[in-house]
Amino acid sequence: METLIGLSDAVVTMGGYNTVCEILCQGRPSLVVPRETPRLEQRIRAEMFCRQGLVEFLPWAELSPATLRQRLDRLLDAPEPYRQAMARFPFSGLSVISERVAAFRQDLCRPDPTRPGARPDPACLPIVE
């Protein structure tokens, strides 16, 4: 799928997590038409990325051949704002989650004064790479 996304002028997707990440990493303008059942996860992601100017969003309830064509034409006629937004997007998820895990481990590994001599939680042992 990476190759197809990379060769495309634009991508139409339902907005699954991995697909959206791949689209953003490759800087491809995209139209997200998320499913809304059984969960709203794809719609929430599409709305959030649309607010950031990263994707074009078409709610499922508004999907028709005419609206699909209108949104795709708009995307293909003016892809630059989307590309610029993607270029500014901070791909910092790995560093953010690393910081959160480190903070969690620090809290978890604090000695418990009510349990002197207690063995440390296994999560507190040094990480061996």
Side-chain angles (χ1 to χ4, degrees):
M1 180 141 71
E2 291 176 24
T3 302
L4 293 174
I5 290 172
L7 293 171
S8 69
D9 292 324
V11 178
V12 177
T13 179
M14 291 179 75
Y17 180 79
N18 290 332
T19 303
V20 171
C21 287
E22 189 62 41
I23 289 166
L24 293 177
C25 286
Q26 293 200 39
R28 292 291 171 236
S30 62
L31 171 60
V32 181
V33 186
R35 70 166 187 220
E36 298 180 13
T37 59
R39 290 172 294 283
L40 290 174
E41 162 239 339
Q42 290 181 347
R43 182 180 175 120
I44 292 166
R45 183 179 306 110
E47 289 174 343
M48 191 275 299
F49 283 136
C50 184
R51 280 195 302 271
Q52 300 294 320
L54 297 165
V55 302
E56 183 70 28
F57 165 54
L58 177 59
W60 189 264
E62 296 176 25
L63 179 62
S64 70
T67 57
L68 182 62
R69 181 177 181 131
Q70 175 206 18
R71 300 288 173 92
L72 272 175
D73 284 346
R74 182 168 53 194
L75 191 64
L76 292 168
D77 289 344
E80 207 50 42
Y82 301 97
R83 289 191 179 119
Q84 291 170 357
M86 286 182 256
R88 291 188 307 269
F89 187 77
F91 290 95
S92 57
L94 184 57
S95 60
V96 168
I97 197 65
S98 295
E99 291 167 8
R100 289 182 181 176
V101 167
F104 172 76
R105 287 185 81 223
Q106 186 176 16
D107 286 345
L108 180 70
C109 299
R110 261 193 207 104
D112 184 350
T114 65
R115 297 178 52 213
R119 299 182 92 194
D121 187 295
C124 298
L125 298 175
I127 297 174
V128 179
E129 294 184 23

